[in-house]
Amino acid sequence: MKPKGLLTPQRKAIYDVISCSTDHPTAAEIMDRLRERGCHFAYGTVYNSLKYLTETGQIQELRVGEACRYDARTELHHHIQCTICGQVEEVFSDIPQEWLLAVAAETGYMIDQEQLLLKGVCASCKVRTN
């Protein structure tokens, strides 16, 4: 997916780093990857660009524990995080409608967005711990 609208060179570089990443990088990891590409942006530029890209729907921000991670895939999907190594992966399974209705009935909320973060032990860590 290409970024929407006109982007400054800084925002485009940040978007490109995120869209080329499969590991849902943090802001600090994005800064490191920008430096590896020869881009030296101020922290404020990176954080403001991440905010702009999130607010305009070009990326999504994932709150995973204490960290915010960024994802260029904006279609509906969920995530799973390994409780040992911290790896975050995408999950495209649908949430059962019955579960959403049960949550709405329990809370009184009208659910208009779905985003789940599941946690468990990834296959690599499972092998290492056995």
Side-chain angles (χ1 to χ4, degrees):
M1 177 181 204
K2 292 189 177 202
K4 302 170 191 166
L6 296 174
L7 294 180
T8 64
Q10 295 85 352
R11 289 176 181 164
K12 174 78 168 88
I14 292 164
Y15 177 85
D16 288 345
V17 165
I18 298 167
S19 65
C20 291
S21 301
T22 59
D23 61 345
H24 305 84
T26 63
E29 291 168 335
I30 293 167
M31 291 282 296
D32 291 342
R33 293 171 194 183
L34 286 166
R35 284 190 197 106
E36 290 170 4
R37 293 178 176 202
C39 301
H40 299 281
F41 303 147
Y43 283 102
T45 299
V46 173
Y47 283 102
N48 288 336
S49 295
L50 290 170
K51 182 179 179 186
Y52 172 84
L53 292 168
T54 300
E55 288 175 351
T56 58
Q58 296 175 66
I59 63 171
Q60 62 175 309
E61 180 181 76
L62 311 169
R63 297 198 181 268
V64 181
E66 297 293 315
C68 289
R69 295 178 168 271
Y70 297 91
D71 188 354
R73 295 191 76 165
T74 57
E75 70 273 17
L76 177 63
H77 67 284
H78 310 288
H79 296 86
I80 189 164
Q81 180 184 30
C82 180
T83 55
I84 295 176
C85 69
Q87 174 178 285
V88 177
E89 294 187 47
E90 295 169 329
V91 176
F92 292 93
S93 298
D94 291 332
I95 297 173
Q97 188 65 27
E98 311 82 62
W99 190 78
L100 294 173
L101 293 171
V103 170
E106 178 182 328
T107 63
Y109 277 67
M110 181 183 77
I111 298 172
D112 59 4
Q113 293 180 24
E114 306 166 23
Q115 188 178 69
L116 290 181
L117 173 64
L118 305 166
K119 294 190 176 192
V121 178
C122 72
S124 297
C125 290
K126 185 176 174 184
V127 169
R128 284 192 295 254
T129 58
N130 286 336

